[in-house]
Amino acid sequence: MIETQTFPRILADLTCVRALDGTRVYWTDPNLSGATAHLSQTDFAHPSNSNNIVLLKSARQRFIYSCTTPFGPMVVKLFPLSLVSSLKHRKYAATEFVNTLKADDLGLSVPRVHAYLEKRQGLRVSCVGIVFEELQGYQELSRLLRRGIFSVEKCGTIAAETLAQLYAVGANHLDGRDANIMVHPETGQIRVIDWQFANFVAPRAEWLLEHLAGFHLQRSHEYRNYYLDSYWLQELHALSNHTSSIQLFRDRVVSLSKRKYSLGKRSKLTPLSG
């Protein structure tokens, strides 16, 4: 693994501001710390009551909002914590915060991380979250294909280039599917999102590329036939300067794409066997 600063050490180096409701917000840019009061006044529990926020996605343990602030648009990703889920989901937010900062340090195209926040009820942390830049104008890679904005060939090239970049720095994203590759159709800029499961390996393992490609192929239902019937795997192999033969690489990727590995197994890179 690549050594990184511990999560408490990173927070200790950031500007911490406490809002009136007790929320602690750790800003990566001190110039944005004035947004704390604005965030604390936002009713994330009832977005229809607030003029400045829009609920983008919701799940049992995750809510994502678009929030307009005096400092520009931001996205707030919140993880409400119950006594049962506290440790697990608190770790997800902390890991995504640290991993996104690490990916940015390595030169990968990721959303800018503005802050990490904690809401408290007495001594208990009741909610954690991350504040990102809002990716205005960006769309999921698969959505660009479905809407006819990009061809399947262009989507394939973007996917290959993105996986090659992850491989180049040893970033095992673990969820590198097309839904997490955000593209601005006018500028062509790319942002890779959702880093809560990722880890980084050094020295880079050669079979990292096989795992990245196998999982991407497994989840890319709209592209699968194109990936298998075209030169996509050959393009990815060449972009990454992979040393195995193209046939061996293809065989391993296709085999991995058919296996249902648990998250725990995918987080531990090993050569394909059997």
Side-chain angles (χ1 to χ4, degrees), residues 139-259:
Q139 297 184 47
E140 296 174 5
L141 188 59
S142 56
R143 186 171 297 177
L144 290 169
L145 174 64
R146 289 196 298 269
R147 293 182 174 181
I149 300 173
F150 282 0
S151 66
V152 65
E153 292 81 7
K154 184 165 186 174
C155 289
T157 295
I158 291 172
E161 291 174 346
T162 302
L163 295 184
Q165 290 167 5
L166 295 175
Y167 171 65
V169 298
N172 186 18
H173 187 282
L174 290 185
D175 199 11
R177 52 199 167 97
D178 49 22
N180 288 330
I181 301 175
M182 306 293 292
V183 185
H184 195 294
E186 296 178 3
T187 67
Q189 292 181 309
I190 297 170
R191 296 289 185 270
V192 181
I193 63 172
D194 284 359
W195 288 84
Q196 65 264 34
F197 302 121
N199 57 51
F200 301 88
V201 291
R204 180 192 66 194
E206 187 168 80
W207 52 84
L208 167 59
L209 185 65
E210 298 162 5
H211 283 263
L212 288 170
F215 180 77
H216 186 81
L217 185 62
Q218 183 183 102
R219 296 302 181 93
S220 301
H221 305 294
E222 292 158 294
Y223 312 104
R224 184 177 178 88
N225 290 337
Y226 167 75
Y227 285 169
L228 292 174
D229 298 337
S230 72
Y231 290 99
W232 185 80
L233 284 171
Q234 186 172 328
E235 179 182 13
L236 175 61
H237 183 270
L239 282 171
S240 307
N241 296 315
H242 205 271
T243 60
S244 69
S245 69
I246 180 59
Q247 188 59 52
L248 180 60
F249 177 71
R250 177 188 172 86
D251 291 345
R252 287 175 172 173
V253 171
V254 171
S255 180
L256 284 166
S257 73
K258 297 176 180 178
R259 301 189 179 198

Side-chain angles (χ1 to χ4, degrees), residues 45-82:
H46 305 90
S48 59
N49 295 338
S50 298
N51 295 325
N52 65 307
I53 67 170
V54 176
L55 178 63
L56 301 178
K57 292 182 180 180
S58 65
R60 186 175 61 177
Q61 292 290 353
R62 183 185 66 176
F63 298 88
I64 303 176
Y65 300 89
S66 171
C67 183
T68 304
T69 79
F71 299 85
M74 300 180 184
V75 166
V76 182
K77 189 173 186 178
L78 295 179
F79 295 82
L81 303 177
S82 66

Side-chain angles (χ1 to χ4, degrees), residues 8-56:
R9 181 66 261 170
I10 289 175
L11 292 188
D13 291 339
L14 301 180
T15 299
C16 179
V17 181
R18 292 195 183 192
L20 295 178
D21 65 355
T23 301
R24 299 178 184 181
V25 187
Y26 299 85
W27 294 96
T28 58
D29 182 353
N31 294 322
L32 293 175
S33 60
T36 299
H38 191 79
L39 290 177
S40 69
Q41 294 165 4
T42 301
D43 188 359
F44 291 108
H46 305 90
S48 59
N49 295 338
S50 298
N51 295 325
N52 65 307
I53 67 170
V54 176
L55 178 63
L56 301 178

Side-chain angles (χ1 to χ4, degrees), residues 79-90:
F79 295 82
L81 303 177
S82 66
L83 291 175
V84 175
S85 68
S86 178
L87 182 61
K88 180 179 180 181
H89 291 92
R90 188 175 181 180

